[in-house]
Amino acid sequence: MKAIVFDANITKYVRTLALGKLSKKNFYGPFSCISLKEIEKPKLPSDDYVLIKTKFAGICGSDLNLIFLHDSPSTSPFASFPFVIGHENLGVIVEKGKNVMDFNVGDRVIADPVLDCYAREIDDICESCKEHEYSTCLNITEGKLSPGTIMGACNSTSGSWGEYYIAHKSQLLKVPNEVKDEEAILTDALASAVHPVMRNFPKDNQKVLVYGAGIIGLLIIWTLRKLGSKANISCVAKYKFQQDLAKEFGADNIIYPSENYFEDVAKITNAKIFKPMIGDNVMLGGFDIIYDCVASNKTIRDSLWMTKQRGTYVLVGLASFPKGIDFTPVWFKELKITGAYCYSTEILDGKEISTYELALKLIQENKIPYNKLITHIFSIDEYKKAIETASSKNREKSIKVVFKF
C-alpha cells in the first residue's frame, strides 16, 4: 500500500534541521524524515481489531509540527519508528476480527486515535483509563501495540496518511448516513476544540479570548456557540479570511495582533496597561479564560499577562521549547494553567460521553460548515504540495487541508 512514512534517527533529524534552515521544503524533501513509500498493509493484532481502507485523511497542526521538527524529542520514547503519519481519519471497514460484533465490513467509520489500555488490550488497566481519562493513559508503550500515544505515531496501526490502517473495536464510531464524508473528516479537529471547551466552559457573564484562528481556534468559537455559551468571545486573528470566519462563527470582537494590541484588550476587558522599567507592557485585569491555540513564545507570554487575576489559561497549541517566558503573572495573578491534549471523556447534561462521540453529535445536529473549513483537497501523491499549502496559510488561504483516497 502507499503511505507517507516518518522515520527519524539522529542522522536524519540533525541533517533535516540543518537543511531546513536553507529552505522549509527540505523538511519534506528527499533527505528529510518523511517519504512516500510502498509498504505492507498492517495486520490485525487480534480478533478485536478491524482493517480500514482510508477515504479521507486530514493534515493536523500536530502533523506539521512533526514534519517541521517542532516537536520536543522528549516525546520520542512514546512513538515507534518508522510510522505512517495521520490520525484524522475516515474510512470503510474491509476486514474484521471475529470478536467485533457491532461493526461490519462495508461500514463507514472513524476511529478515535488514542491508543489507550483498551486499544492495547491490557488487562491491568491504568488509573487514567479507569477514570476514563484516556488521553493520559499510562500504558502507551505496553500491550499488543508498539509505543505510540495515538494512531499516526505507532508503527503497529499505520496512520490515515496511508491506504489502510487498523483500529480496535473500542475506538470505532459508525458514521451516520446523513453525515457527509467531508463533515465526518472534521470530527478529529472538532474534538480537539470540544475537549478544552468542555473542560473550561465559561460562564455567560465572562469574557474569553481565543488566541489564533486556525481550524482549532475557529472551532472553539463554533463549539462555544453551539453548546449555548453566551460569553463575550474575542479572537486574535492574523489574516482577513480568518477574521471573517471567526466573526461568522460567533466571535464578538476581532483583535489583530499588532504591536499595540494590548490596548484593544484593555478596551474590551477594562484592564489596565503598565510599562515596566525594562521589557514589554504588562496588564492588570484581562480575560476570564484564554484558549491559546498557537502556543508560541509571544502568545504564551502575552496570554499570561492578558488573563485576569485568578483567571484560567488553557494551552491548546503544542508548545515544545518556549523561550524566555516570564512566569511572574502566574504567581502574581494566581492564574490557573491547564493543558488540553487530544480528547477523552466529557460530561454533557450529567452524562459521560466520549469527546469524539460528542464531536460527531455536534456535526450531525448542527451541520458543520465543511465547505468553509475544508479549503484544499489533494491525493496522497501530491503530499508535498499539500504540506506546502497547509503551512502557507496566508498565501494559500488554507484552513483544513485533506487527502482524498
Side-chain angles (χ1 to χ4, degrees):
M1 71 171 197
K2 276 184 186 177
I4 299 173
V5 177
F6 184 88
D7 188 10
N9 55 45
I10 292 296
T11 302
K12 282 186 178 180
Y13 185 87
V14 173
R15 180 178 65 201
T16 303
L17 277 178
L19 291 173
K21 292 178 180 178
L22 302 176
S23 169
K24 83 171 190 177
K25 292 184 178 182
N26 288 327
F27 283 107
Y28 44 91
F31 301 108
S32 69
C33 296
I34 76 165
S35 58
L36 179 62
K37 292 184 174 181
E38 282 285 343
I39 62 172
E40 290 186 8
K41 286 190 294 187
K43 295 179 172 55
L44 304 186
S46 80
D47 286 324
D48 292 308
Y49 288 81
V50 300
L51 178 67
I52 301 168
K53 183 172 175 51
T54 313
K55 292 193 77 176
F56 275 90
I59 298 181
C60 178
S62 64
D63 297 323
L64 296 178
N65 280 325
L66 172 75
I67 291 165
F68 291 109
L69 303 185
H70 293 161
D71 288 349
S72 168
S74 64
T75 59
S76 60
F78 313 119
S80 43
F81 305 95
F83 58 77
V84 178
I85 304 173
H87 57 274
E88 297 185 358
N89 67 92
L90 169 70
V92 175
I93 296 175
V94 293
E95 180 186 349
K96 71 169 190 167
K98 64 183 180 182
N99 295 335
V100 180
M101 301 299 179
D102 297 328
F103 299 88
N104 296 305
V105 170
D107 282 348
R108 192 169 51 126
V109 294
I110 51 176
D112 184 328
V114 174
L115 301 177
D116 57 23
C117 287
Y118 298 97
R120 294 177 170 280
E121 297 191 346
I122 292 171
D123 294 329
D124 187 12
I125 304 298
C126 77
E127 289 303 314
S128 283
C129 289
K130 284 178 183 176
E131 295 172 1
H132 301 175
E133 298 287 0
Y134 305 115
S135 62
T136 56
C137 174
L138 298 170
N139 285 322
I140 52 177
T141 61
E142 311 296 331
K144 285 231 168 83
L145 304 175
S146 301
T149 55
I150 58 174
M151 180 185 91
C154 172
N155 65 15
S156 300
T157 61
S158 187
S160 59
W161 290 18
E163 293 180 291
Y164 296 89
Y165 56 96
I166 63 167
H168 189 265
K169 62 184 181 182
S170 65
Q171 297 174 264
L172 298 176
L173 282 175
K174 196 176 295 186
V175 179
N177 290 334
E178 62 269 27
V179 175
K180 297 178 180 179
D181 288 350
E182 292 84 356
E183 294 173 310
I185 191 56
L186 293 172
T187 301
D188 186 274
L190 183 56
S192 297
V194 167
H195 187 48
V197 165
M198 292 297 291
R199 296 299 175 96
N200 305 275
F201 202 83
K203 298 175 183 176
D204 285 346
N205 64 347
Q206 290 185 318
K207 294 180 179 180
V208 304
L209 175 68
V210 178
Y211 205 132
I215 184 81
I216 304 302
L218 291 170
L219 287 177
I220 283 178
I221 298 169
W222 190 84
T223 299
L224 283 166
R225 293 309 189 208
K226 296 307 177 186
L227 289 175
S229 174
K230 295 180 175 61
N232 182 280
I233 301 174
S234 297
C235 179
V236 175
K238 193 172 183 181
Y239 306 122
K240 178 66 166 57
F241 73 98
Q242 294 175 332
Q243 294 168 3
D244 292 342
L245 272 181
K247 197 77 175 174
E248 182 179 333
F249 284 8
D252 297 288
N253 313 293
I254 303 299
I255 301 171
Y256 178 75
S258 65
E259 186 177 344
N260 300 315
Y261 76 131
F262 266 33
E263 294 176 5
D264 296 323
V265 173
K267 290 176 184 176
I268 294 167
T269 64
N270 297 317
K272 295 179 180 178
I273 302 170
F274 298 86
K275 178 66 178 175
M277 184 185 304
I278 298 173
D280 296 328
N281 286 344
V282 299
M283 179 175 285
L284 282 182
F287 293 98
D288 296 281
I289 302 173
I290 292 183
Y291 305 94
D292 184 354
C293 303
V294 181
S296 69
N297 293 342
K298 179 173 176 56
T299 67
I300 295 172
R301 184 269 172 199
D302 287 357
S303 292
L304 292 176
W305 278 112
M306 291 190 297
T307 306
K308 72 183 287 188
Q309 279 68 8
R310 298 180 302 283
T312 301
Y313 168 76
V314 187
L315 184 60
V316 182
L318 189 151
S320 292
F321 301 106
K323 297 176 182 177
I325 304 298
D326 183 357
F327 276 85
T328 297
V330 177
W331 58 263
F332 184 63
K333 292 181 151 193
E334 295 193 0
L335 303 183
K336 300 177 186 70
I337 297 180
T338 186
Y341 176 64
C342 286
Y343 1 78
S344 189
T345 306
E346 317 301 343
I347 303 296
L348 181 68
D349 299 328
K351 296 180 181 178
E352 272 196 358
I353 184 171
S354 80
T355 319
Y356 242 60
E357 189 177 353
L358 176 53
L360 188 56
K361 174 183 168 69
L362 288 171
I363 288 173
Q364 187 176 5
E365 293 177 351
N366 296 282
K367 293 299 177 185
I368 193 167
Y370 68 90
N371 55 326
K372 296 179 180 180
L373 294 168
I374 298 177
T375 53
H376 299 80
I377 300 175
F378 293 97
S379 71
I380 201 71
D381 295 302
E382 300 173 292
Y383 77 96
K384 292 182 181 180
K385 188 176 179 181
I387 294 168
E388 178 70 22
T389 300
S391 60
S392 304
K393 295 190 187 309
N394 187 34
R395 188 185 72 206
E396 301 292 343
K397 305 292 186 290
S398 60
I399 299 176
K400 175 56 66 180
V401 179
V402 301
F403 295 113
K404 185 176 182 179
F405 287 78

